[in-house]
């Protein structure tokens, strides 16, 4: 792959933000381990971090795929609009990244517990939230809440890897972490939207 094409893909997946995605499930691993002790599995930590990165990258790619008609109409700069990366190619790579990211998270859980009861469910909910945000809901009032849900589920992904079958039995106080994180992300997403100065958005932000 030529260096120029690597730059195009790096721009498409928003490489500078990559490590924020990896931090969420690693924090979730630490939270889950507060309730259930298990032997340290650095490979599982690496796998769930890589899986989260691929889920994030896949979401970024599909975001531009879904936005292509509007971006093309408004001539917004981007690798797909410029023709540096084909629309069909981007769509295929985006979905593949989501699938591989999900599989890596499941493998991380299996290496620790020899079962993957909850991690596939949390991963599927995360993918659904990512696609929902990228597709139909990004321009709606639900978008900030969905962005918060994506980040909260990414944290829960690490928690599910750590807790395994006991994920649903985590102490109530540990669920406050993804709840607070989701609300935090929802809040700054509202503040970052272009219409944040409107009365409706100010009311939502204060709420």
């Amino acid at each position: 792959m030529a260096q120029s094409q690597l730059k195009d893909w790096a721009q498409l997946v928003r490489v500078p933000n990559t490590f924020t995605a990896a931090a969420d499930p690693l924090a979730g691993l630490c939270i889950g381990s507060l309730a259930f002790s298990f032997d340290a599995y650095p490979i599982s930590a690496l796998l769930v971090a890589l899986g989260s990165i691929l889920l994030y990258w896949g979401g970024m790619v599909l975001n531009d795929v879904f936005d292509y008609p509007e971006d093309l109409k408004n001539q917004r700069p981007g690798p797909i609009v410029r023709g540096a990366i084909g629309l069909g190619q981007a769509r295929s790579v985006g979905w593949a990244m989501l699938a591989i990211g999900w599989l890596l998270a499941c493998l991380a859980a299996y290496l620790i517990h020899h079962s993957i009861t909850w991690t596939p469910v949390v991963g599927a909910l995360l993918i659904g939230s990512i696609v929902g945000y990228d597709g139909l809901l990004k321009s709606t009032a639900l978008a900030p809440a969905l962005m918060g849900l994506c980040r909260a589920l990414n944290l829960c992904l690490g928690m599910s890897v750590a807790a395994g079958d006991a994920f649903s039995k985590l102490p109530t106080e540990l669920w406050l972490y993804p709840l607070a994180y989701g609300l935090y992300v929802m809040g700054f997403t509202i503040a970052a939207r272009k219409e944040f100065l409107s009365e409706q958005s100010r009311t939502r932000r204060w709420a």
Side-chain angles (χ1 to χ4, degrees):
M1 185 180 294
Q3 185 176 1
S4 60
Q5 194 170 17
L6 282 174
K7 289 181 179 179
D8 291 327
W9 280 105
Q11 180 184 353
L12 190 60
V13 301
R14 280 73 157 179
V15 163
N17 297 329
T18 293
F19 295 105
T20 64
D24 294 343
L26 293 178
L29 277 174
C30 296
I31 293 169
S33 67
L34 293 175
F36 300 98
S37 61
F38 56 88
D39 295 333
Y41 277 82
I43 294 178
S44 288
L46 177 62
L47 287 174
V48 74
L50 289 175
S52 180
I53 288 172
L54 286 173
L55 290 171
Y56 175 79
W57 282 358
M60 291 295 100
V61 172
L62 291 178
N63 178 71
D64 281 20
V65 168
F66 281 112
D67 286 351
Y68 176 72
E70 184 179 352
D71 289 346
L72 183 63
K73 178 181 177 181
N74 296 299
Q75 284 301 298
R76 293 172 182 162
I80 300 178
V81 173
R82 294 197 315 268
I85 296 174
L87 180 63
Q89 182 186 19
R91 183 183 294 110
S92 298
V93 170
W95 284 109
M97 285 179 170
L98 293 183
I100 296 171
W102 180 84
L103 287 171
L104 289 178
C106 292
L107 180 58
Y110 183 80
L111 289 178
I112 297 174
H113 303 286
H114 302 292
S115 66
I116 55 172
T117 305
W118 284 103
T119 300
V121 176
V122 176
L125 289 173
L126 177 54
I127 290 173
S129 299
I130 291 170
V131 175
Y133 178 85
D134 287 344
L136 298 175
L137 301 176
K138 183 164 48 181
S139 59
T140 72
L142 294 175
L146 200 57
M147 179 62 76
L149 181 62
C150 286
R151 286 293 188 169
L153 286 171
N154 203 22
L155 192 70
C156 287
L157 191 66
M159 293 169 63
S160 72
V161 170
D165 293 341
F167 176 68
S168 61
K169 301 175 184 177
L170 286 171
T172 303
E173 62 270 17
L174 294 186
W175 293 106
L176 295 176
Y177 288 100
L179 176 62
Y181 187 38
L183 289 172
Y184 166 70
V185 173
M186 182 177 69
F188 77 66
T189 302
I190 291 172
R193 286 165 74 93
K194 292 180 180 178
E195 69 273 17
F196 81 98
L197 292 176
S198 70
E199 285 297 329
Q200 179 186 11
S201 204
R202 277 207 298 268
T203 302
R204 294 209 316 270
R205 187 168 71 252
W206 280 111

